[in-house]
Amino acid sequence: MEPAAGTQVTYLDTSLRDGSHAVDHDFSPEQVRRVVAGLSASGVRYIEVGHGAGLGGSSLLQGRGSYSNTELFDAAAAVIGDSTLCTLMLPGVGVMDEVREAVEHGVGGVRVATHVTEADVAEQHLRLCRDLGLRTFGFLMMTHLAAPEVVAEQARIMEESGAEVVYLADSAGYMTEQGVRDRVAAVRAAISVEIGLHAHNNLGLSVANSLAAIDEGASFIDGSLGCLGAGAGNTPGEVFSVVTRRIGLETGIDEWRLMDVAEDEVRPLMRFPQVIDRTSLVLGYAGVYSSFLLKAKAAAARYGVDAGDILLEAGRRGAVGGQEDLLEDIAFTMAQNREVPVATA
Amino acid sequence: MDLSSPQAVERPLRVAILGSGNISTDLMYKVRREQSLQLIAMAGIDPGSEGLRRAADLGVPTSADGIDGLFDLDDLPELVFDATSARAHLAHAPRLADAQIASVDLTPAAIGPMVIPAVNGDEHRDGMELNLVSCAAQATVPLVAAVGRAARHLRYAETVSTVASASVGPGTRQNIDEFTHKTRKAIETLGGAERGKAIVILNPAEPPPCMRNTLYAEVDGLDEDLLAVEVARMVQRVEAYVPGYRVRGPVIDGRKVTLFNEVEGAGDFLPTYAGNLDIITAAAVRMARQRVAAGAEARV
């Protein structure tokens, strides 16, 4: 079933946050300014900006940002108009002081993200966001790894801690339509706040899965222009907005302007074509975190092993978001076991 | 000093355990294995707790009156392991100090000096209020210090600790910011890094994975031969109380040094994957043992 015409949907653009993974966390303030201005003028009301791993994400683990989050927030805030500047934080990576600092630089919405079974580590952060008057989002990552009733129970923890919207993230781009429907429906029955879907396009299903989520009661959809994001990227925002126009959903977005922003501002930032290559397919097939893609490729090149093998092993070990360090450990160990000389000095 | 022959000590140290949860129970098994330590009591606040039942079954005197139960003993302990909660330890600490009872604090209260046995245990072996920081610090700070000793300048150290969800209790879950702050402080203060960063990740995979840590360090003036020596030496020091402490690497890439580490627990009471909990109970017992050895030395 398709969502009914007239259904209200809010589009949240994450080109400048999830997309950060695809450009090695190298967005400049000028690039952020241009894209944010275009998004805002197109009617996008929530615009996420920052290092791919969010507040405190700049690290040797995830890659250092060429610019600090606060420099990027300042650039965005100057041109964002009435739209809300959002960012992401993972408790255990970022800390609450960084939330307070972000607010001083114009951030008005924070998405507090945990692995799908670990919502209780976000309680203090969600409460802080509400106390600061921020638009407060809970964000459950790697939702495919938990059964619908578990996802529902974790969503309830986030709602009780203050989340005004609870997102289900298909961080591995693993889910097919039924998996999305089952989880959104279970969460819809369990909480009364809004529900969002953050998809990755590793199996080419992101737009279809987003529509399925809306049909089950989700009202926030994440996307990025041209798919720019980790792995094969996110739900392509300009495609999603055209599809919603076709079937009569209300997003408040001028899809023609959004297409221009995708084409003229975001595509030129891409370091490589944002397509579903064979390694992204492994992510989607094996259910591995999308931001592992480029780290696995780098480790593969360094240790002379196969990126797909590294990802499959990471999937076998149940790696969760943030465990990028495991990829090099796996590659290092594979190389040693094969007695291939390691490229140390 | 020979820590491996506790029989050289004439009189064991009288110790007690505050708390009756999983950590306390694991501590009990470890303490009972030490000839230099005499476990005189375990005191909790839940008379029905499994910890108190197990202690009673082993013939260890128990109390459900918390710290008051310890002060009711005819002979007071000389040292107390506190594995209750930060708030409870803040109340316990002054009472223990007034009674001249040494306190080894496994809670996040962080009153006393930070102690990592393999790094600065010798300095604090007579200390009256020892703060064991965090499990992540116990596992990673030894590696930070080892890299620091092999370089002219340790500019930055970043640790990534992945622990099994099942091994992380509600206290840590609701205070994960404090956990990362404290670990970072130990990386800087005890590890010697000019700037530190601590990242903590919870993994719910089944079967639960062992604690894993990665250290990324940025150094100036690295002596690569010395690095191998310092890492091996440090691993040996930690292995002396945590036999399942393993390190892979180093990987050297320009100024960046990477070490991979796994901590498998001894499985005394806590499951072996919970190396993060084992390393802190093992560190606590290690500090008590060092105290006995120090006392024996002083009497010679």
Side-chain angles (χ1 to χ4, degrees):
Chain A
M1 281 245 308
E2 235 169 53
T7 305
Q8 298 277 340
V9 180
T10 305
Y11 170 72
L12 186 152
D13 189 276
T14 187
S15 308
L16 295 170
R17 199 281 304 164
D18 212 315
S20 168
H21 287 294
V23 299
D24 211 8
H25 312 293
D26 191 33
F27 285 135
S28 70
E30 174 59 13
Q31 291 166 345
V32 166
R33 195 187 62 74
R34 293 175 66 100
V35 175
V36 168
L39 287 168
S40 180
S42 307
V44 175
R45 294 284 75 102
Y46 293 91
I47 302 170
E48 189 172 58
V49 173
H51 187 282
L55 299 176
S58 182
S59 57
L60 293 175
L61 172 69
Q62 300 276 359
R64 289 222 170 101
S66 303
Y67 293 86
S68 68
N69 277 327
T70 52
E71 288 172 288
L72 302 182
F73 298 154
D74 288 341
V79 295
I80 201 162
D82 292 337
S83 299
T84 301
L85 177 58
C86 297
T87 197
L88 179 84
M89 80 138 352
L90 284 71
V93 175
V95 294
M96 292 191 285
D97 283 344
E98 287 162 322
V99 173
R100 297 186 185 95
E101 183 187 47
V103 172
E104 285 168 20
H105 291 267
V107 167
V110 171
R111 309 212 290 172
V112 184
T114 72
H115 184 74
V116 62
T117 53
E118 313 298 318
D120 57 353
V121 300
E123 287 177 21
Q124 57 176 180
H125 308 82
L126 287 167
R127 246 179 260 122
L128 172 74
C129 291
R130 280 302 287 276
D131 289 348
L132 291 172
L134 297 171
R135 189 75 164 135
T136 303
F137 302 80
F139 195 90
L140 294 167
M141 301 185 288
M142 298 286 270
T143 1
H144 74 280
L145 284 174
E149 60 274 17
V150 175
V151 182
E153 165 198 309
Q154 297 289 311
R156 201 180 301 122
I157 294 172
M158 287 190 152
E159 178 184 40
E160 282 165 4
S161 306
E164 299 165 293
V165 182
V166 176
Y167 259 91
L168 310 189
D170 182 13
S171 315
Y174 174 90
M175 284 197 280
T176 55
E177 183 178 323
Q178 197 59 47
V180 171
R181 284 186 180 274
D182 292 346
R183 285 168 180 77
V184 175
V187 173
R188 183 66 292 157
I191 65 174
S192 54
V193 297
E194 290 189 75
I195 298 170
L197 182 76
H198 172 96
H200 278 268
N201 203 39
N202 300 336
L203 298 181
L205 297 173
S206 60
V207 174
N209 284 349
S210 297
L211 294 181
I214 296 165
D215 190 43
E216 296 293 343
S219 51
F220 265 81
I221 294 295
D222 272 16
S224 64
L225 300 187
C227 283
L228 186 67
N234 302 99
T235 303
E238 71 282 17
V239 178
F240 175 74
S241 66
V242 169
V243 171
T244 55
R245 172 70 64 189
R246 272 270 307 277
I247 64 175
L249 307 185
E250 300 292 336
T251 63
I253 287 176
D254 178 342
E255 65 274 15
W256 302 105
R257 285 184 89 155
L258 197 64
M259 272 184 245
D260 290 343
V261 181
E263 202 75 19
D264 301 336
E265 304 296 348
V266 174
R267 264 187 219 288
L269 304 179
M270 291 181 181
R271 303 283 167 91
F272 50 84
Q274 185 82 57
V275 296
I276 307 173
D277 65 7
R278 61 187 165 189
T279 324
S280 315
L281 269 169
V282 173
L283 296 173
Y285 178 76
V288 178
Y289 205 79
S290 294
S291 66
F292 286 8
L293 177 71
L294 298 182
K295 301 279 184 236
K297 285 182 173 172
R302 168 160 195 164
Y303 292 94
V305 297
D306 183 69
D309 289 344
I310 298 173
L311 291 171
L312 287 171
E313 175 64 11
R316 200 188 59 75
R317 295 210 208 168
V320 302
Q323 278 193 272
E324 273 85 347
D325 62 318
L326 180 63
L327 304 171
E328 188 176 351
D329 192 355
I330 290 170
F332 177 84
T333 307
M334 279 179 175
Q336 276 200 331
N337 291 346
R338 286 193 342 197
E339 291 175 334
V340 171
V342 174
T344 52
Chain B
M1 176 177 64
D2 181 5
L3 287 172
S4 65
S5 54
Q7 59 269 32
V9 177
E10 319 98 52
R11 190 182 63 79
L13 189 72
R14 298 162 52 77
V15 304
I17 296 170
L18 255 178
S20 63
N22 293 338
I23 302 272
S24 299
T25 310
D26 192 72
L27 260 173
M28 172 178 76
Y29 288 104
K30 285 186 167 64
V31 168
R32 280 171 50 88
R33 258 205 321 267
E34 298 293 334
Q35 286 173 278
S36 61
L37 305 178
Q38 184 193 355
L39 181 60
I40 63 164
M42 179 192 270
I45 50 171
D46 174 8
S49 68
E50 192 192 346
L52 290 184
R53 187 182 56 70
R54 282 178 177 257
D57 287 351
L58 291 169
V60 176
T62 62
S63 164
D65 293 331
I67 193 169
D68 292 335
L70 296 184
F71 281 105
D72 286 343
L73 294 167
D74 291 335
D75 282 316
L76 293 184
E78 296 164 276
L79 178 147
V80 164
F81 298 103
D82 193 343
T84 55
S85 68
R87 189 189 297 170
H89 185 68
L90 291 174
H92 298 157
R95 296 185 62 186
L96 295 170
D98 283 350
Q100 302 278 306
I101 299 171
S103 155
V104 175
D105 175 19
L106 292 88
T107 78
I111 302 171
M114 297 185 285
V115 179
I116 311 284
V119 176
N120 67 342
D122 290 346
E123 259 171 68
H124 292 288
R125 58 188 194 178
D126 299 320
M128 293 302 284
E129 171 67 47
L130 303 180
N131 154 20
L132 296 179
V133 200
S134 71
C135 62
Q138 289 295 336
T140 59
V141 170
L143 300 177
V144 177
V147 173
R149 286 169 195 177
R152 195 176 68 243
H153 182 49
L154 178 54
R155 195 179 279 280
Y156 176 73
E158 175 182 312
T159 63
V160 186
S161 300
T162 306
V163 294
S165 297
S167 71
V168 183
T172 303
R173 285 170 179 274
Q174 272 143 36
N175 294 283
I176 199 156
D177 265 42
E178 288 82 342
F179 185 88
T180 55
H181 278 303
K182 279 172 38 180
T183 305
R184 190 194 72 201
K185 196 172 148 210
I187 290 168
E188 293 170 354
T189 312
L190 302 187
E194 186 185 328
R195 205 160 63 78
K197 181 174 177 69
I199 295 173
V200 182
I201 293 159
L202 277 55
N203 183 318
E206 286 295 336
C210 270
M211 182 195 206
R212 270 192 81 262
N213 303 283
T214 299
L215 166 65
Y216 298 111
E218 283 179 329
V219 294
D220 294 326
L222 180 70
D223 179 335
E224 292 185 23
D225 296 332
L226 185 58
L227 178 66
V229 172
E230 291 291 354
V231 170
R233 187 178 290 162
M234 191 60 83
V235 170
Q236 218 172 19
R237 298 185 71 165
V238 181
E239 265 179 340
Y241 55 99
V242 185
Y245 189 81
R246 291 184 288 267
V247 172
R248 283 187 294 281
V251 178
I252 300 165
D253 185 2
R255 297 197 324 193
K256 184 172 126 187
V257 176
T258 307
L259 286 167
F260 304 109
N261 162 245
E262 247 160 36
V263 186
E264 185 179 357
D268 290 308
F269 173 66
L270 298 163
T272 52
Y273 65 77
N276 47 315
L277 304 180
D278 186 80
I279 199 168
I280 203 158
T281 55
V285 172
R286 180 68 168 186
M287 290 312 296
R289 250 180 83 158
Q290 288 207 349
R291 188 174 203 88
V292 181
E297 240 171 37
R299 280 193 295 275
V300 171

